Amino acid sequence: MRWRGRRESENIEDRRAMGAGPAVAGGGGLMILVVIVLGLMMGKDPQQLIQQVQQQQAQQQAGAPQNVPVEGSEAERELKQFVSVVLADTEDVWNKLFTEQIGKRYPEPKLVLFRDQVSSACGMASSATGPFYCPGDDQVYLDMSFFEQLQNQFGAKGDFAMAYVIAHEVAHHVQNTLGISDQVHRSQQSADKVAANRLSVRLELQADFLAGVWAHHGQKMKSFLDAGDVEEAMKCAEAIGDDRLQQQMQGRVVPDAFTHGTSKQRAYWFRKGLETGQIEVANELFELPYNQI
């Protein structure tokens, strides 16, 4: 993928340095215990000392930077730059499509980089969750170590495979903005488990399709695809299909438990979005019988 030297998004929030949060809380509790002991030894009111310490801690936390950059290795710095460029590409494409085809403003999401675990409006999540979009705060969350797992565990190599993952999560933001996610979630509330899972599959495949739509228009706008890039994204989509993941993890496939779609479905809908570039085709996923998607 040709990405170097192009605009980087300003909607990146780097929380990788915030992993020390729990340790600070623990340290604060130890400090309060020490204050109580010293207060008793010095004949002072421990409660007053505790209040002073708590006030100082609150001031420190309030003044703590919320977007602390992490230098890391050269490879990490380069990967962050790549993520920023891809996010900028999604902004450029979706801003254009929303203006020209949808007739409304595109609210650009933030992408939060984290390490190990993160707190979002959707709750706490660990790296094991993988990249995710939280509709509660309109933010995409990404631990960049997932890209290493993508290559080593799933065999999905290449920079455009990583771009596809980012575009898929941004596509969930597009769905949320258009009200599609809310409609699906309301339908799931009155459905049984199997039916709810099938609605989830349709939603996820639509996000794959919209990631393909992004690639279609991004290529027209920026000519960023290299030879083999599309194949990288296709292999990535296939590698994270429900059937393949279930086979790897539990040695058997349970179609009624699918939530994201099969390897074949994910690759098919991404390619369809890439080839057509037509947002309205995404509606087919909720019109076709389930066995035809």
Side-chain angles (χ1 to χ4, degrees):
M1 180 179 181
R2 294 187 288 272
W3 62 272
R4 297 180 188 279
R6 295 199 285 107
R7 182 179 79 86
E8 296 181 40
S9 174
E10 297 180 355
N11 290 313
I12 296 284
E13 183 178 339
D14 196 340
R15 295 190 197 169
R16 289 176 294 164
M18 295 177 67
V24 172
L30 179 60
M31 182 179 292
I32 288 175
L33 179 61
V34 171
V35 166
I36 292 174
V37 174
L38 289 176
L40 292 172
M41 291 175 61
M42 297 170 63
K44 294 186 177 182
D45 183 359
Q47 188 62 39
Q48 283 187 338
L49 295 175
I50 290 172
Q51 290 177 351
Q52 290 175 7
V53 171
Q54 289 176 332
Q55 288 174 356
Q56 290 175 355
Q57 289 177 337
Q59 290 171 358
Q60 290 172 355
Q61 290 176 359
Q66 297 300 305
N67 194 15
V68 182
V70 176
E71 291 302 324
S73 64
E74 179 63 32
E76 273 195 317
R77 289 193 292 271
E78 183 173 283
L79 187 54
K80 179 182 177 182
Q81 184 182 13
F82 169 79
V83 170
S84 300
V85 170
V86 173
L87 184 63
D89 285 347
T90 67
E91 292 165 354
D92 293 342
V93 168
W94 288 114
N95 272 311
K96 185 174 188 294
L97 294 180
F98 265 60
T99 299
E100 295 179 357
Q101 298 187 25
I102 299 174
K104 63 183 294 186
R105 186 184 67 84
Y106 173 63
E108 298 175 355
K110 283 189 178 294
L111 190 152
V112 178
L113 298 174
F114 71 96
R115 181 172 288 151
D116 298 330
Q117 63 178 9
V118 69
S119 175
S120 74
C122 298
M124 288 294 299
S126 71
S127 298
T129 305
F132 68 96
Y133 170 71
C134 175
D137 53 26
D138 292 325
Q139 295 185 151
V140 173
Y141 291 84
L142 172 66
D143 185 328
M144 293 191 298
S145 66
F146 176 78
F147 293 141
E148 184 177 347
Q149 181 185 17
L150 199 64
Q151 295 183 35
N152 297 337
Q153 183 175 339
F154 302 120
K157 300 180 179 181
D159 51 12
F160 199 65
M162 297 187 291
Y164 154 73
V165 170
I166 297 169
H168 174 93
E169 297 307 329
V170 170
H172 282 310
H173 175 66
V174 172
Q175 291 171 314
N176 190 52
T177 301
L178 296 178
I180 298 170
S181 301
D182 282 343
Q183 292 175 15
V184 170
H185 294 151
R186 284 196 296 269
S187 297
Q188 287 177 314
Q189 290 175 358
S190 59
D192 60 29
K193 182 67 173 177
V194 173
N197 285 345
R198 290 182 175 183
L199 285 167
S200 177
V201 167
R202 292 179 190 268
L203 194 66
E204 293 293 336
L205 293 179
Q206 190 183 69
D208 286 327
F209 174 86
L210 293 173
V213 170
W214 161 76
H216 174 97
H217 292 279
Q219 174 65 3
K220 282 188 173 182
M221 293 169 64
K222 303 170 184 289
S223 297
F224 55 40
L225 291 177
D226 280 322
D229 280 348
V230 174
E231 287 69 24
E232 290 175 1
M234 296 288 286
K235 288 181 180 178
C236 181
E238 292 172 352
I240 53 179
D242 283 327
D243 51 345
R244 185 168 298 185
L245 293 178
Q246 285 185 359
Q247 187 64 48
Q248 290 176 349
M249 296 175 63
Q250 61 192 33
R252 62 192 181 95
V253 176
V254 185
D256 284 346
F258 288 172
T259 57
H260 286 64
T262 67
S263 296
K264 183 178 179 180
Q265 287 172 324
R266 300 200 68 171
Y268 171 82
W269 284 100
F270 172 78
R271 181 177 286 280
K272 189 163 187 174
L274 176 64
E275 291 175 349
T276 67
Q278 298 176 4
I279 300 176
E280 60 272 17
V281 176
N283 295 329
E284 289 183 12
L285 273 154
F286 292 95
E287 297 169 353
L288 290 170
Y290 185 74
N291 61 1
Q292 293 181 23
I293 63 175

